[in-house]
Amino acid sequence: MRDDLINELSRLCGIVSEYWDIFGNKYITPMDTNEAILRSMRLKIDSEHEISESISTVINKQWLSFIEPVKVLSVNNQPFSLSIFIPLNEGDEGSIILYCRVEDESGRTEEFELSGDSLRISEQKWINNQRYIKIDFSGEHPMEMGFYSLSARCISASGEISGVSRIIITPDSCYVPPELDGNRRLWGITLNLYSIHSLRNWGCGDFSDLGRIMKWLEELNAGFAAINPLHALLNKMPYDISPYSPVSRLYKNLIYLDVESVPEASESKAAQTAMRRKSFKDELKKLRDAELIDYEAIAALKEKILRYAFEIFYERHYKKTTERGSSFDAYLSEEGQHLQSFSLFWAIYSANNSTNWHLWQKEYQNRYDEHVMKFRQENEKEILFYCYIQWLIDSQIRKTVESNKGSMTVGPMFDLAIGSMGGGSDVWNYQDIFALGINVGAPPDDFNPIGQDWGFPPLIPERLRDTGYEFFIQTIRKTMKYAGALRIDHALGMFRLFWIPEGRLPSEGAYIKYPSEDLLRIIALESVRNKTVIIAEDLGTVGENVHDRLREFNMLSYKLLYFERNYPSPSFAPPDSYPRKTLCAVTTHDLATIYGFWASRDIEVKRSLWLYSKEEKYLRHLIERDRDKELLLKALKKEGLLAETCSLEELSTAPMNKELCLSIYDYLSRTPCMLVSVSLDDMLGVLDQQNLPGVIDIYPCWRQKSPLSLDEIISDTRVKNLSEMFSRNSRQ
């Protein structure tokens, strides 16, 4: 009986009872996994009575809520309709008066009063001996795309009840530049900004470097520059440097600031004195010369100078009415509580020894605790310092983008991580909407036979909806700001996410359904408003109709040469088989570079790190790699990209070279894909991939610098040759 009740509650909460992995193996969700997930959703299941009560609560939640918390609908499905649920006692029905007020984002309002015959009762229901009626309230005329607030107040003989709903009117598809209408196609470069080193930066790439890169690519007729996620990190080795495991997806990493371009750093005598000291210069030289990126040292050095700069700003601008001070005030007002809460987290984190808020003193683990409120009051200036850093970041990104718009059709392509770390700012600030005790991951596949555990908690679908999708909206909006395009990592997570209870193997996880239609529409709205192209990274185990729905919303698919085959044959798919609405590439940060692929470097590295449990698998992968090299050469030859007289056997055993690398990208340039992304690492002949999934401290994940300085990259002929090749194939 208990198991039946758990299964019923699990179904109601969107827990998928079974799934198939890529090997064709069927997995049934274990009962204890169901129970762990339900508890993480804050449901009571300790007894059969509690489970039955939870089932009733979930089934009747809408009726008990008075008003739908959020309504997301198409701009072409108007006027809108919203359900309001009213509890009635005997004698109430004739006395009901319903007042509704709709307010748009500019503060304009429209008011309605409904009573008597104007109250359209569409349904009624008895719950726990209480009668409820459902009233469908409709707007009188179509509304423009955007966000609206609907306040409802019901007065009857029994009393008064009120509530607020968010109405979101959206387009039916994301933005696509008019330049991409028809058959026009673009190319661009994918790079890791942190890996860029130059004579002037402080050991990792910064926004001034990004500006130079964009100007350079514009001159080469590239359409975009795609960079790694810029989300805020703790910058602590070894666990807190991955751009895909941020502290917060709402704000960004100070490591990318060009500190020397901050006006107050130049005005501060203390900052200038510090930067002239031999110890500072020695540390800076050490960071620049280091083989690997030292996140913690770079962040510490930058924060030190930024504190001097902030003192000048605080005295000369914040306390006084200056143009710069007014700009900062406007930024604070625009960001509101989200920025204040983020900065409060950083101030408390700086005052604690632990990087994980779960290990802070108990009174600081809840941001609404009176001790936290007291800390906020006593540390206003420190909190303001972290607001100042985010303002500087925002200012430098804006300046970089605005000064490099030029002829690049798309411009910068930013990247949105799928989640944020459980011990970070997002989860601390918004604990109610996260499933604590659960990690997001992926089921077993060929690259990870035991599955993946990504180590961060998922958002609870129902809690997201209860809060009007506010956190999701802010995450999309803030990451999209200034972006010509946005790549959404693991976009399949908008349809379903793989939840793994802490302490269990990934194979014991389960898929949870998400309100994909609402999430896709919110992204489409922000995309159209910001004129931002959306790329949905749709690799992995895919549910039914996912690709079709993404295409319908004009979200570009993400296709990799390595995976595009004529299945079940392992031969490579021809260029004309690639879909039009696609960004195609050879590889990603998680996979071998083309030079590493050709040398089987990724396979050998895994073996050297004892990541193969059996020698047979290592040998099988080597055999498959040799096969794939020959198949790729055959595909190139079929397209006329290799001379008829060349020996495929000799080419497959010879090292990768720039001519063959260019031919492989020429292959992709012949696809109808809207966008072709070229890895800068491929152009520069890098052997080692940036990240090796599944390892932390035994491989230099996210720490490798480019083999050439920025000046050398810009003067290198390889990317220029690439540009000429794309021009010949009508890509700009």
Side-chain angles (χ1 to χ4, degrees):
M1 179 64 177
R2 176 185 171 84
D3 287 358
D4 291 339
L5 290 172
I6 288 292
N7 284 332
E8 173 65 9
L9 183 57
S10 298
R11 182 189 64 80
L12 291 169
C13 293
I15 303 174
V16 180
S17 61
E18 62 184 44
Y19 71 90
W20 297 82
D21 67 15
I22 64 168
F23 308 113
N25 299 315
K26 183 178 179 180
Y27 287 81
I28 304 295
T29 302
M31 190 58 61
D32 58 349
T33 294
N34 278 329
E35 293 186 3
I37 290 173
L38 291 171
R39 286 193 171 93
S40 75
M41 291 177 170
R42 321 297 201 266
L43 293 168
K44 296 180 178 180
I45 58 168
D46 287 342
S47 66
E48 290 186 4
H49 174 73
E50 284 189 346
I51 302 170
S52 297
E53 287 291 309
S54 292
I55 290 173
S56 177
T57 298
V58 172
I59 291 174
N60 296 314
K61 181 178 180 180
Q62 192 176 39
W63 286 84
L64 301 172
S65 64
F66 177 61
I67 190 171
E68 296 179 74
V70 63
K71 184 83 169 184
V72 184
L73 67 156
S74 167
V75 69
N76 297 309
N77 183 21
Q78 295 216 55
F80 77 90
S81 177
L82 187 83
S83 297
I84 297 174
F85 305 89
I86 302 171
L88 290 185
N89 294 317
E90 187 175 348
D92 280 349
E93 191 164 331
S95 67
I96 295 175
I97 303 176
L98 182 64
Y99 298 96
C100 294
R101 184 181 69 179
V102 178
E103 182 176 346
D104 67 15
E105 292 169 273
S106 65
R108 291 175 298 185
T109 62
E110 189 173 6
E111 297 187 353
F112 305 86
E113 179 180 327
L114 290 82
S115 61
D117 293 339
S118 63
L119 288 169
R120 297 189 295 274
I121 301 176
S122 61
E123 193 177 349
Q124 64 178 333
K125 188 174 185 178
W126 287 85
I127 303 172
N128 296 329
N129 298 318
Q130 171 71 62
R131 181 189 173 205
Y132 290 81
I133 61 171
K134 176 184 176 183
I135 294 175
D136 294 325
F137 170 73
S138 298
E140 293 185 347
H141 52 77
M143 299 191 298
E144 296 179 354
M145 292 185 296
F147 296 89
Y148 298 82
S149 175
L150 186 147
S151 302
R153 183 166 61 98
C154 177
I155 299 176
S156 68
S158 297
E160 181 176 325
I161 186 171
S162 62
V164 178
S165 177
R166 167 178 266 171
I167 301 172
I168 307 175
I169 311 293
T170 76
D172 291 325
S173 62
C174 296
Y175 172 78
V176 174
E179 293 89 341
L180 284 175
D181 286 344
N183 295 318
R184 188 178 175 196
R185 302 163 300 158
L186 303 175
W187 73 278
I189 291 286
T190 296
L191 61 108
N192 297 292
L193 184 56
Y194 57 81
S195 71
I196 301 298
H197 59 97
S198 63
L199 294 175
R200 48 148 298 281
N201 74 33
W202 289 18
C204 73
D206 59 29
F207 294 127
S208 291
D209 292 327
L210 178 60
R212 287 193 65 195
I213 290 167
M214 289 182 62
K215 180 66 69 178
W216 166 60
L217 291 178
E218 179 189 337
E219 293 169 355
L220 293 174
N221 294 319
F224 61 90
I227 58 176
N228 57 278
L230 302 175
H231 306 313
L233 305 176
L234 291 178
N235 298 312
K236 301 282 188 182
M237 282 289 295
Y239 301 103
D240 302 315
I241 62 171
S242 168
Y244 291 94
S245 297
V247 173
S248 173
R249 294 188 292 167
L250 299 179
Y251 294 99
K252 295 180 172 59
N253 194 347
L254 71 83
I255 207 168
Y256 297 112
L257 265 177
D258 176 1
V259 174
E260 293 180 66
S261 293
V262 174
E264 291 81 27
S266 301
E267 298 170 17
S268 169
K269 291 182 180 178
Q272 291 300 309
T273 298
M275 288 190 286
R276 284 194 294 267
R277 290 194 181 107
K278 183 178 184 302
S279 58
F280 183 92
K281 291 181 178 180
D282 289 346
E283 177 68 11
L284 196 54
K285 185 178 187 304
K286 179 182 175 183
L287 293 173
R288 286 171 175 163
D289 294 345
E291 181 181 352
L292 298 174
I293 299 163
D294 188 337
Y295 285 78
E296 189 166 356
I298 295 169
L301 207 61
K302 291 193 174 187
E303 182 171 329
K304 178 180 180 180
I305 302 304
L306 287 171
R307 287 192 176 276
Y308 291 132
F310 176 67
E311 289 300 324
I312 293 294
F313 176 81
Y314 188 79
E315 295 297 328
R316 295 184 183 178
H317 300 287
Y318 183 71
K319 284 186 173 182
K320 300 176 182 178
T321 304
T322 67
E323 183 177 348
R324 195 156 168 78
S326 297
S327 174
F328 180 60
D329 287 340
Y331 176 75
L332 292 178
S333 177
E334 177 186 345
E335 294 297 314
Q337 188 59 46
H338 298 290
L339 176 62
Q340 292 294 327
S341 298
F342 169 81
S343 300
L344 172 62
F345 171 88
W346 275 96
I348 298 176
Y349 155 65
S350 298
N352 279 268
N353 293 324
S354 174
T355 58
N356 188 328
W357 64 264
H358 295 281
L359 302 178
W360 292 352
Q361 295 178 33
K362 189 173 180 61
E363 56 266 29
Y364 289 104
Q365 293 182 19
N366 184 341
R367 76 179 180 97
Y368 299 105
D369 190 282
E370 61 181 21
H371 292 84
V372 174
M373 298 298 104
K374 183 180 179 182
F375 181 93
R376 182 196 292 267
Q377 294 169 358
E378 294 174 349
N379 293 272
E380 286 185 6
K381 187 176 178 181
E382 178 72 359
I383 293 168
L384 200 67
F385 168 65
Y386 292 108
C387 294
Y388 171 73
I389 289 176
Q390 291 303 315
W391 174 61
L392 293 177
I393 292 172
D394 185 85
S395 302
Q396 287 195 2
I397 295 176
R398 183 182 68 249
K399 182 180 178 181
T400 296
V401 172
E402 290 180 351
S403 62
N404 289 284
K405 283 183 177 177
S407 61
M408 292 184 81
T409 303
V410 173
M413 182 186 296
F414 295 156
D415 202 333
L416 174 65
I418 184 62
S420 46
M421 58 184 289
S425 165
D426 285 350
V427 181
W428 180 74
N429 275 302
Y430 310 100
Q431 294 178 42
D432 287 348
I433 63 173
F434 283 93
L436 304 182
I438 301 289
N439 288 333
V440 175
D445 59 30
D446 196 36
F447 288 94
N448 296 277
I450 63 169
Q452 298 179 62
D453 185 331
W454 298 332
F456 52 80
L459 292 160
I460 303 172
E462 193 62 24
R463 294 296 178 103
L464 262 182
R465 192 172 184 278
D466 289 344
T467 54
Y469 297 116
E470 175 64 16
F471 180 78
F472 181 80
I473 292 166
Q474 292 299 326
T475 300
I476 294 295
R477 183 176 295 167
K478 293 181 188 303
T479 312
M480 194 180 288
K481 191 177 182 182
Y482 308 126
L486 177 66
R487 175 189 177 274
I488 300 177
D489 190 50
H490 195 65
L492 307 178
M494 292 184 291
F495 295 83
R496 63 180 192 178
L497 263 182
F498 197 69
W499 289 26
I500 307 164
E502 288 183 353
R504 290 184 173 87
L505 295 173
S507 59
E508 298 177 275
Y511 278 107
I512 311 300
K513 296 177 183 178
Y514 277 74
S516 59
E517 187 72 13
D518 287 358
L519 302 182
L520 294 174
R521 288 195 169 280
I522 289 168
I523 292 171
L525 175 57
E526 293 297 325
S527 166
V528 169
R529 284 183 153 192
N530 291 280
K531 295 187 175 180
T532 301
V533 179
I534 302 298
I535 295 91
E537 192 265 289
D538 50 353
L539 305 174
T541 306
V542 184
E544 293 181 11
N545 304 318
V546 170
H547 292 309
D548 291 340
R549 201 68 188 115
L550 292 173
R551 278 196 295 270
E552 288 167 7
F553 270 94
N554 276 342
M555 294 184 180
L556 304 194
S557 184
Y558 194 71
K559 301 294 185 184
L560 298 181
L561 174 72
Y562 290 162
F563 299 151
E564 291 305 299
R565 310 293 183 104
N566 297 308
Y567 296 113
S569 167
S571 60
F572 286 86
D576 59 9
S577 71
Y578 282 63
R580 166 71 175 156
K581 293 181 180 179
T582 295
L583 179 149
C584 67
V586 171
T587 185
T588 74
H589 51 266
D590 286 335
L591 299 172
T593 65
I594 195 62
Y595 279 78
F597 177 89
W598 214 255
S600 298
R601 173 73 169 178
D602 54 322
I603 298 173
E604 297 297 346
V605 167
K606 288 178 182 177
R607 188 194 191 202
S608 70
L609 298 176
W610 302 95
L611 297 181
Y612 284 110
S613 57
K614 295 181 179 179
E615 184 75 1
E616 297 94 305
K617 186 172 184 180
Y618 157 73
L619 295 173
R620 177 168 61 85
H621 279 186
L622 283 179
I623 292 170
E624 290 174 351
R625 182 60 53 84
D626 288 341
R627 177 205 67 190
D628 286 347
K629 288 161 63 177
E630 291 183 10
L631 290 173
L632 182 53
L633 289 170
K634 286 180 180 178
L636 295 176
K637 195 166 187 176
K638 188 176 181 180
E639 286 295 314
L641 294 170
L642 297 177
E644 285 295 328
T645 56
C646 74
S647 166
L648 298 187
E649 183 178 353
E650 289 181 6
L651 276 177
S652 67
T653 56
M656 173 61 62
N657 57 62
K658 62 182 181 181
E659 289 79 17
L660 181 55
C661 178
L662 197 64
S663 294
I664 291 170
Y665 276 102
D666 199 345
Y667 188 83
L668 288 185
S669 79
R670 300 181 179 203
T671 68
C673 302
M674 286 185 175
L675 307 178
V676 172
S677 183
V678 180
S679 164
L680 182 60
D681 284 351
D682 282 353
M683 285 298 100
L684 302 181
V686 174
L687 271 175
D688 290 315
Q689 62 204 66
Q690 281 292 330
N691 181 50
L692 191 61
V695 304
I696 300 293
D697 54 355
I698 58 175
Y699 183 85
C701 298
W702 316 113
R703 301 181 65 204
Q704 299 173 67
K705 293 184 178 181
S706 170
L708 301 182
S709 70
L710 181 54
D711 287 328
E712 291 170 327
I713 291 171
I714 290 175
S715 62
D716 194 281
T717 59
R718 282 172 287 191
V719 180
K720 185 178 180 181
N721 293 339
L722 180 80
S723 171
E724 293 170 351
M725 179 270 289
F726 277 124
S727 294
R728 288 195 301 272
N729 289 331
S730 302
R731 282 191 183 271
Q732 296 180 353

